[in-house]
Amino acid sequence: MRVCFSYGLFAVAFAVAAQPAHAQSPLPVIVPAATSQSAPIPQTAGDPTSSDNATIQALEQIKAANEEMLRQQEAVLATLDELQKAADQIRILSKRG
C-alpha cells in the first residue's frame, strides 16, 4: 500500500515538475516625453462635407435594410410559432385517440 502511494506521489511530483512555467513577460512601459508642448487638438468643421453626407446616406440605407430584415424575421418567427402550436395540437389529439 505504501509502495503504491509512493509511486503515485512520485508520478504526480514528476508531472508537476515536467510542466514548463508559463510566466508572463513584462510589457514595456511607454512614458510620454517631458516637454511643455501638448499635442494639437484637431479642429472639426461645423458643416458636414460631401463624404460625411455620403456616409450618412449609406448608414440610412443600412438602417432601412436592417429594419426590413427584422420585419422578415418577425414574420418567420410568427409562422414558426403557428407551426409549433399546430404540432402541439396534433400531439395532443394523437394521444387521445
Side-chain angles (χ1 to χ4, degrees):
M1 178 75 173
R2 289 182 80 127
V3 173
C4 184
F5 180 73
S6 297
Y7 285 128
L9 185 61
F10 176 74
V12 170
F14 181 73
V16 170
Q19 292 291 329
H22 295 289
Q24 294 180 351
S25 61
L27 295 175
V29 177
I30 300 172
V31 180
T35 61
S36 62
Q37 296 177 354
S38 62
I41 299 172
Q43 298 292 328
T44 57
D47 297 328
T49 62
S50 63
S51 66
D52 290 341
N53 289 334
T55 303
I56 290 171
Q57 288 177 353
L59 289 173
E60 287 174 350
Q61 290 175 351
I62 292 171
K63 182 181 176 184
N66 285 342
E67 288 173 352
E68 179 62 29
M69 180 64 71
L70 289 174
R71 278 190 228 109
Q72 290 175 356
Q73 288 176 348
E74 287 175 1
V76 169
L77 284 175
T79 305
L80 289 174
D81 285 340
E82 291 174 11
L83 287 173
Q84 181 66 38
K85 288 178 185 177
D88 290 342
Q89 289 256 335
I90 291 173
R91 283 189 204 111
I92 290 170
L93 294 175
S94 67
K95 289 181 181 178
R96 288 185 184 176

